[in-house]
Amino acid sequence: SDSDSDSDESSSSSSDSDSDEKPKEKDAKPNAAAKKKSADLGSGSDSDSDDWGSDSDSSSDDEDDDEDVPAGLTGRARWLKSAVVVKEKVVKDKIERSEKRKAEKEMKMAAISVKSKAIISEEECNVAAIEKKLNEVIASRGRKGTKPKDLALQLSALCKLSARFGPRVELPMLTHLISAKFDLQRNIDDFMAEEDWRSTANYIRRIAKVLKENPKMRLSLMSADDVADMRISAEKEIKRERLSAKDEVLIDPNTGEVETFLQRQERVRAEAERGLDEAALNSVKVSGSLCVFMTRLEEEYNKSLQRLNPHTPEYVRRLKDEGVLLSTISEVQHYYEKVGMDAECAELSLLRIEHMYYKHDTIAKGVDKASAFAEKFGDSEMLHPACVVGGTEGGGDAQKVHPGAWSSKPDVSPEGVDTAAVIATLCRNCYEHGDDRAKTRAMLCHITHHAVHSRFRQARDLLLMSHLQDTISSSGDISTMILFNRMMVNVGLAAFRCGRVSDAHQCLTEIASSRVRELLAQGLSRFNGNDKNTEQEKAEKRRQVPFHMHINLDLIEACHLISAMLLEVPQMAQEKRNHGENNYYVKSRHFRKYSESYDRQVFTGPPEHTRDFVMTASKALMKGKWKECYDLIANLDVWQLVPGEGEVEKIRGVLLKEVKEQGLRTFLFAYSSNYDSLSLADLSAQFDLEPPQVHSVVSKMMMNWELTASWDGPTDTITVHRVEHTRLQTLALQTADKVSGLMDSNEKLLDARSGLYGFSDSDLGRSGGGWRDKGNNNRQRSGPVGGQRR
């Protein structure tokens, strides 16, 4: 047919054109296919021959397309009518890249070492050139595209150059460098790297050393206007230098020779400096205060301890820097004492106190010895193994024994420091010249230091004289409130170690009965009612105490529950005897709750935790088994955490004495109704107490109407009187108890308003600090009661 011939002719013509113009095939294919498709649609032919013809054409086109498709294409890319460039994957050599990075790092370190030469040439190196470069660096500070690390490197290089021109040039450069180091942290939660922190501490110590070598030199603070003038002058000098380089020829009027712009600036500076008097020469303007620098340095150190994992060697290595921090603060404080700046001295004294108050003397001596060893011999890990092992078995023969073993491991013997006297002096400085916050924190640290060393009476007297328990809630500083909570816990632990069970319970009960971690800033409390947002949680994390300053929570719980046990178990036995008539004198509801929960258990296994041990001991004490009770609480592992030599044995002695006496009282409350008389000798043998001790305990119970009995002098026996109260007497006693409880509540409310807490001014002069005995059930209201303050 005609259509077939036309198709044949078109196919033959297309094949001829393909053979003649191969390069144009790919570009023309899409257009030809589109035209052919439109022509077929326009013809409207439905014959089978047309269908077969179209199929043959498409199959031939597909074959041609398959020949032209590049290798490696799959999926949709294989059928697209477009030129696709296949990129071959380049396999990079990891070894080559690591060597390249290593070479770049070496080049960078080498560039740092020669940076001072690259900034200013040796021929043009003078004070004017250094000041000009410093102004340029300061002008570029904070601009977009300027990296703080590059600025710190440039300032570090300028500091090396400025050292040769004296302290008037070096000190301002060091202050600018320290400020640049602190600017490396852009986020409030970021902390300074260990190397940067140590280098910054060395720069501050360098300033303190220069000021010590030049006693007449004083630092004056540069204002913000001065810094702005430096930036403006830097820009003007750059413009003036460009103009002078093009048009003006500079002549030295003294010699008549041609001089450069930098030489003229140096000559003008030298002439101006020669015209200054001695006071102006010894006054150096710097861009920051040393006191502020030390505060920032201490904050960065605390942040690093908060963020690091306390169970890693890195944390232990970081703790060694505390000695460097204290020595640096001491050197800076010496300068402020010399110039008579008392406010700055008080602030630095507070920084030193906060890094010293929590350490026991035994720990402080070990830390001082380690710091002295590191300063003299360096890191102990770098010592040769021969000198660490030691020994002289070879008799000094170098062929048999390493020479390092002859002298064994090196040792240092630092001078003994009376920490109590140092802290007392620093606190006195804060009391005289510090602000209200510094005075409050210094007092809290001073009280805590006394409590850590078991000086309970001194700590109690300082707390009562300062009236901090009345003013701490209105201070508005959460960190100070946390410090108050920690002080109260330490005072309670000190009272427990000294055998003051009632005082220890009063100090510990309010904090140990609630969220201990949160109140002591030793972790975040996780509970269902937490309504804090993200910012509040971040702020709370910033207030956390470093791990090495934590007070062990098991130790707090042990002291609190044991003191509550010694107070509550005799009371519970008395209530059981009186059938619950005297239940208004509950001293520890916390202990009662745990005891009731323990009684409700169907099966009680062997004790595992501290609370289980105390609950088991309390049940043994209720039955009069004081030996079993003592063995359970005296062998707790937490007592090994108490610092100080002989403290563990002292605590066990206190526990033994208290358990015996309270066991005797519990026995008399529980079983006296079963006896007509009790022998003093039998009671002394049963509870392993001296007869005078038994006589004292029983007589006190008789005087407080806790035991209705009398002494039979000739036979040394206790005659028990059975008194059956009438219904009227029972109701009268219950009414008296209720009135007594109401009176106590009113007194507590009055004490909270007046702040006396059971004291008067005349009472403070008496022995024992003026503690008043109310007489009922031997109850005492007194002492360091302030509870937790948040």
Side-chain angles (χ1 to χ4, degrees), residues 213-237:
E213 294 174 353
N214 300 272
K216 296 182 179 180
M217 188 163 289
R218 301 289 184 271
L219 298 181
S220 59
L221 188 61
M222 187 183 297
S223 62
D225 296 336
D226 296 335
V227 178
D229 293 340
M230 289 179 64
R231 294 190 175 186
I232 296 173
S233 63
E235 296 176 357
K236 289 183 178 180
E237 287 176 0

Side-chain angles (χ1 to χ4, degrees), residues 565-626:
M565 178 191 73
L566 296 175
L567 295 174
E568 281 292 336
V569 168
Q571 191 75 28
M572 293 166 66
Q574 186 182 14
E575 289 180 7
K576 187 177 295 186
R577 184 193 66 178
N578 297 336
H579 306 288
E581 293 180 1
N582 293 331
N583 55 357
Y584 304 105
Y585 303 120
V586 178
K587 297 181 180 179
S588 178
R589 299 188 182 275
H590 200 60
F591 179 81
R592 293 281 182 113
K593 182 183 71 173
Y594 286 146
S595 179
E596 292 173 0
S597 175
Y598 188 83
D599 291 338
R600 286 195 300 266
Q601 292 181 3
V602 178
F603 173 76
T604 55
E608 296 179 359
H609 305 290
T610 302
R611 185 188 305 171
D612 298 337
F613 278 96
V614 178
M615 291 296 108
T616 307
S618 65
K619 300 308 173 186
L621 189 61
M622 285 285 292
K623 299 175 182 178
K625 301 177 181 179
W626 65 270

Side-chain angles (χ1 to χ4, degrees), residues 393-403 405-406:
E393 296 179 358
D397 189 359
Q399 295 180 353
K400 298 181 179 179
V401 180
H402 192 280
W406 296 346

Side-chain angles (χ1 to χ4, degrees), residues 278-294:
E278 185 178 2
L281 282 174
N282 290 326
S283 179
V284 181
K285 278 194 172 185
V286 294
S287 61
S289 170
L290 288 180
C291 183
V292 176
F293 288 157
M294 288 309 310

Side-chain angles (χ1 to χ4, degrees), residues 311-524:
H311 305 292
T312 57
E314 186 179 1
Y315 187 90
V316 179
R317 185 174 65 250
R318 202 76 177 94
L319 284 177
K320 297 179 182 179
D321 293 333
E322 190 171 24
V324 178
L325 178 64
L326 288 174
S327 62
T328 307
I329 296 175
S330 179
E331 293 175 5
V332 175
Q333 185 181 0
H334 176 72
Y335 162 73
Y336 281 117
E337 289 175 352
K338 181 179 65 176
V339 299
M341 301 177 71
D342 296 331
E344 285 77 4
C345 285
E347 190 170 351
L348 294 175
S349 298
L350 181 61
L351 291 181
R352 292 178 63 186
I353 292 170
E354 290 181 347
H355 285 272
M356 295 174 62
Y357 77 97
Y358 62 91
K359 299 176 185 175
H360 196 272
D361 284 344
T362 56
I363 300 175
K365 290 179 181 177
V367 172
D368 294 341
K369 186 175 181 180
S371 300
F373 183 90
E375 185 177 357
K376 185 175 182 180
F377 299 105
D379 192 357
S380 59
E381 296 178 357
M382 302 303 294
L383 294 176
H384 195 279
C387 68
V388 174
V389 175
T392 57
E393 296 179 358
D397 189 359
Q399 295 180 353
K400 298 181 179 179
V401 180
H402 192 280
W406 296 346
S407 57
S408 70
K409 183 178 179 179
D411 193 11
V412 293
S413 298
E415 297 180 0
V417 179
D418 189 358
T419 311
V422 173
I423 289 183
T425 304
L426 295 175
C427 290
R428 194 178 303 113
N429 192 7
C430 292
Y431 301 153
E432 293 176 358
H433 308 292
D435 54 3
D436 292 339
R437 179 180 179 274
K439 292 177 182 178
T440 301
R441 294 185 68 87
M443 177 63 72
L444 292 174
C445 293
H446 201 182
I447 295 171
T448 305
H449 188 262
H450 281 307
V452 168
H453 293 83
S454 301
R455 296 190 288 266
F456 172 72
R457 290 183 179 274
Q458 292 89 328
R460 180 196 62 191
D461 294 343
L462 277 178
L463 176 61
L464 296 176
M465 288 188 295
S466 62
H467 296 283
L468 287 176
Q469 64 272 22
D470 307 322
T471 60
I472 191 65
S473 58
S474 60
S475 63
D477 187 9
I478 297 179
S479 61
T480 305
M481 297 180 188
I482 292 172
L483 186 58
F484 178 85
N485 295 337
R486 297 175 61 82
M487 180 271 299
M488 288 298 300
V489 169
N490 279 290
V491 171
L493 296 178
F496 185 85
R497 292 193 296 269
C498 295
R500 312 289 292 265
V501 177
S502 178
D503 305 334
H505 180 261
Q506 290 180 6
C507 294
L508 295 175
T509 182
E510 295 189 21
I511 296 179
S513 303
S514 55
R515 302 189 301 271
V516 187
R517 293 180 182 274
E518 186 177 356
L519 295 176
L520 300 181
Q522 296 183 183
L524 302 179

Side-chain angles (χ1 to χ4, degrees), residues 9 37 91 118 165 190 199 235 252 317 363 380 503 507 534 570 608 668 685 744:
E9 289 176 0
K37 185 176 181 181
V91 180
F165 297 105
D190 294 338
S199 62
E235 296 176 357
D252 188 354
R317 185 174 65 250
I363 300 175
S380 59
D503 305 334
C507 294
T534 306
E608 296 179 359
L668 292 176
D744 289 345

Side-chain angles (χ1 to χ4, degrees), residues 629-700:
C629 174
Y630 171 74
D631 292 337
L632 286 170
I633 62 177
N635 296 322
L636 292 175
D637 296 334
V638 294
W639 306 131
Q640 303 299 327
L641 302 175
V642 180
E645 297 180 1
E647 289 293 333
V648 178
E649 298 301 326
K650 181 179 177 182
I651 291 175
R652 288 174 177 169
V654 168
L655 290 176
L656 182 61
K657 175 178 176 296
E658 291 294 332
V659 167
K660 288 179 180 179
E661 292 183 357
Q662 301 303 326
L664 174 60
R665 296 184 71 234
T666 305
F667 176 79
L668 292 176
F669 281 136
Y671 303 109
S672 62
S673 59
N674 299 331
Y675 295 90
D676 291 331
S677 63
L678 293 167
S679 172
L680 178 64
D682 292 342
L683 290 176
S684 177
Q686 182 178 354
F687 291 95
D688 195 15
L689 289 171
E690 297 294 330
Q693 289 180 280
V694 177
H695 193 281
S696 174
V697 172
V698 174
S699 298
K700 188 178 292 185

